[in-house]
Amino acid sequence: MKRLKRLDTASDRIVYWFLVMSLVLFTALMLYPFLYVLSMSVSDGAEVVAKSIILLPKGFSLDAYKQLFETKTLITSYSNTIYYTVVGTAINLVATVLFAYSLSRKQFFMRNFLMVYMTITMFFSGGMIPMFILIKDLRLYNTRWALLLPGAISVYNCIIARTFFQSLPEEILESSRLDGANDVQALLRVVLPLSMPIIAVLSLYYAVGHWNAYFNALLYVPSVSLQPVQLLLRRIVIQYSNDLAGDNIIDVGKVYVIEKMRYAVIIVTMLPIVCVYPFLQRFFMKGVMIGALKS
Amino acid sequence: MIEARTNQQGIKYKLYRTGKYLARDRYLLLFALPGIVYFFIFCYVPMYGVTIAFKDFNASKGVMGSEWVGLKWFASFFSSVYFGRLLRNTLLLNIYSLVFSFPAPVILALVINEVREGTFKKSVQTISYLPHFVSVVVVVGIMRLFLQSDGLVNQALESIGLTTVNFFSEPGWFRPLYVISGIWQSCGWGSIIYLAALSGVNPELYDAAYVDGASRWQRVRYINLPSIKPTVVTLLILNIGRLLTLGHEKILLMYSPAIYETADVISTYVYRRGIEDARFSFGTAVGLFNSLCNVALLLAANAISRRVNETSLW
């Protein structure tokens, strides 16, 4: 049926532009804090300390970033974050996909039991302290594994993956079975190539989770050389420590840079994700959809 | 005699059948194994560890060997000077969060849905997700930088003649800051799901409303809102369950002893007493109490929703 053509009344049009203007205002509110931080990080040092910047940078200098990348603590923390994100997400993917795939096969005799087994953990958990004791007992305390193993499978992500696998047409798997493929070959040769969308969604969710995590590291990894960049950020911006000054004697010139470095660290920490997420919108929107349907 | 033999056959048959299943699904079992082991070690074992809430945990004796003390820690917590404050803060913070941050994504979705320009619409959405992808450390960090004693906000206040405010040392500011930053971070991402629901509305309904002379507001009220009601209610219930568990990550970054009066909640108390002071049993008992409150709230919310809406989580 053809859509009726809408003839706007004057008041309709006013309301419409009011809505559009509110969205513009809304967008500005979302962006402004980040733009301010960016401006403060690239402005001239004296202006930063004088706090005369409102939106646009005054002067231009990348010395905060230069100084930042010469600091050992930042390089170590940033590499740690990259490590945890890459390795962690790989572990997540393997564990989640395997488990979700096995749950998606209707003929699997343990399917229902395992669904219940997994879902219970979503509602009941030991809590902070029993987990802490466990990490210590397993000798994972103060090791990299403490940030890679707990949380290896997120029940929510697993359910999304299972829903996806269940939506794959049965005929394809049937025909592969007729060709004599066992479950392993079916998974590797048939299912996985078709599963790029869900792997993209899972990777995105897990990777962002790893990149932004701070609390587990705070609890389980006291050793600074193993800590991710979020903990460094916490020390710099929340606790206002002067860590980034390193062993340098604090002189007037350095004070400006340290202040700017607080802003620069924020930018550097959020940059990779901010640059990547707009291109992956298709994927995470799909993920939200599947997750919601299941709920 | 016959019954005995049938019984034996029954058991033998079950074993035979299980063996068959194991053989047929051996690879699937292999796939499931990491997950089974993972959930056992990292979810079920700590669940058992909760029992130290009823014991006097001694690291050398382990969870099983520690002495039973019953409800001693619970009694100690309930009679503690802080109990009232903690309970009040936890409940108030969560209620405020829920009440104020719940409508925002819905309203945003409704407004975005009205817009016709495709590029503008997409850009608004993309930008609205930005705060969600940034970590809680960044969000609180930016807040702190803005609200410093010589930060932007105080500069603005000074320029119009008001006195500066020490935002992070005044108890009264904690809750508003917590809720507002929560809304800022999550409303864009939260609107995704409502927009999806709205896009599923039959366009013929809109045309019918137009023919009937409905104004924009009437259209929203009678078509849009009802079509997303099930989604709204389901998410509301899910959010109730989730809010109470992750609060501490953000609060720990925002609070300080000066504002414990409004900022200290049960889970941050668990962190201080249980981890920092290493009072494991006591901390676990308090944490268990917190979890039980969560479950109770979840069940209550679900029961209310079932009564009111015929929507339920299960």
Side-chain angles (χ1 to χ4, degrees), chain A residues 127-138:
Chain A
M128 219 191 287
I129 293 170
M131 194 59 145
F132 182 77
I133 297 176
L134 177 73
I135 298 285
K136 284 208 137 168
D137 284 346
L138 289 175

Side-chain angles (χ1 to χ4, degrees), chain B residues 13-299:
Chain B
Y13 174 70
K14 287 211 180 90
L15 282 174
Y16 167 74
R17 195 181 57 181
T18 318
K20 268 248 152 190
Y21 283 152
L22 280 168
R24 179 193 70 180
D25 292 338
R26 62 190 180 284
Y27 292 117
L28 289 180
L29 204 56
L30 197 66
F31 292 163
L33 205 59
I36 298 175
V37 170
Y38 166 76
F39 283 115
F40 182 75
I41 297 182
F42 289 100
C43 298
Y44 284 99
V45 170
M47 267 193 241
Y48 172 70
V50 161
T51 55
I52 66 174
F54 302 101
K55 300 184 178 178
D56 191 359
F57 180 70
N58 188 319
S60 50
K61 294 188 200 150
V63 175
M64 291 202 274
S66 299
E67 251 175 74
W68 190 264
V69 292
L71 297 174
K72 167 172 150 191
W73 303 117
F74 291 94
S76 162
F77 176 57
F78 293 145
S79 58
S80 135
V81 158
Y82 301 121
F83 177 67
R85 177 179 89 181
L86 290 173
L87 196 60
R88 182 195 73 213
N89 287 342
T90 309
L91 284 176
L92 279 182
L93 198 63
N94 283 300
I95 292 176
Y96 285 166
S97 280
L98 207 65
V99 167
F100 290 107
S101 65
F102 202 74
V106 180
I107 297 176
L108 181 65
L110 288 171
V111 174
I112 293 182
N113 189 50
E114 295 294 311
V115 172
R116 291 192 290 266
E117 282 81 18
T119 334
F120 177 65
K121 200 164 166 172
K122 269 213 95 204
S123 323
V124 171
Q125 285 183 270
T126 308
I127 294 176
S128 75
Y129 307 147
L130 178 54
H132 167 87
F133 279 101
V134 153
S135 78
V136 66
V137 187
V138 170
V139 173
V140 178
I142 294 183
M143 235 195 331
R144 282 195 180 254
L145 288 172
F146 265 70
L147 299 172
Q148 287 178 83
S149 44
D150 55 350
L152 259 188
V153 176
N154 275 322
Q155 283 175 358
L157 287 176
E158 267 180 342
S159 66
I160 48 178
L162 298 169
T163 50
T164 61
V165 179
N166 224 322
F167 289 98
F168 283 94
S169 325
E170 303 236 349
W173 275 103
F174 173 74
R175 289 191 194 121
L177 287 177
Y178 182 87
V179 173
I180 294 176
S181 58
I183 298 177
W184 182 78
Q185 193 179 20
S186 65
C187 67
W189 181 258
S191 72
I192 294 184
I193 207 171
Y194 300 120
L195 274 169
L198 282 171
S199 64
V201 172
N202 189 344
E204 288 183 17
L205 284 174
Y206 290 134
D207 290 336
Y210 177 67
V211 165
D212 283 345
S215 74
R216 188 186 296 272
W217 168 243
Q218 282 173 319
R219 174 163 44 84
V220 166
R221 195 166 146 217
Y222 292 112
I223 301 182
N224 290 356
L225 284 179
S227 67
I228 56 176
K229 193 163 95 160
T231 319
V232 169
V233 173
T234 313
L235 279 180
L236 188 64
I237 302 178
L238 279 177
N239 275 330
I240 292 180
R242 222 158 12 117
L243 269 176
L244 289 163
T245 39
L246 276 184
H248 62 269
E249 290 209 9
K250 186 161 159 190
I251 301 176
L252 276 172
L253 296 172
M254 283 178 71
Y255 83 168
S256 66
I259 56 173
Y260 279 173
E261 196 184 306
T262 50
D264 199 16
V265 294
I266 298 181
S267 46
T268 49
Y269 185 71
V270 170
Y271 175 74
R272 275 205 319 283
R273 290 280 174 273
I275 305 274
E276 286 185 354
D277 294 349
R279 292 176 56 190
F280 293 150
S281 281
F282 179 68
T284 310
V286 179
L288 184 59
F289 172 71
N290 200 19
S291 308
L292 290 176
C293 285
N294 285 9
V295 173
L297 265 162
L298 197 67
L299 290 174

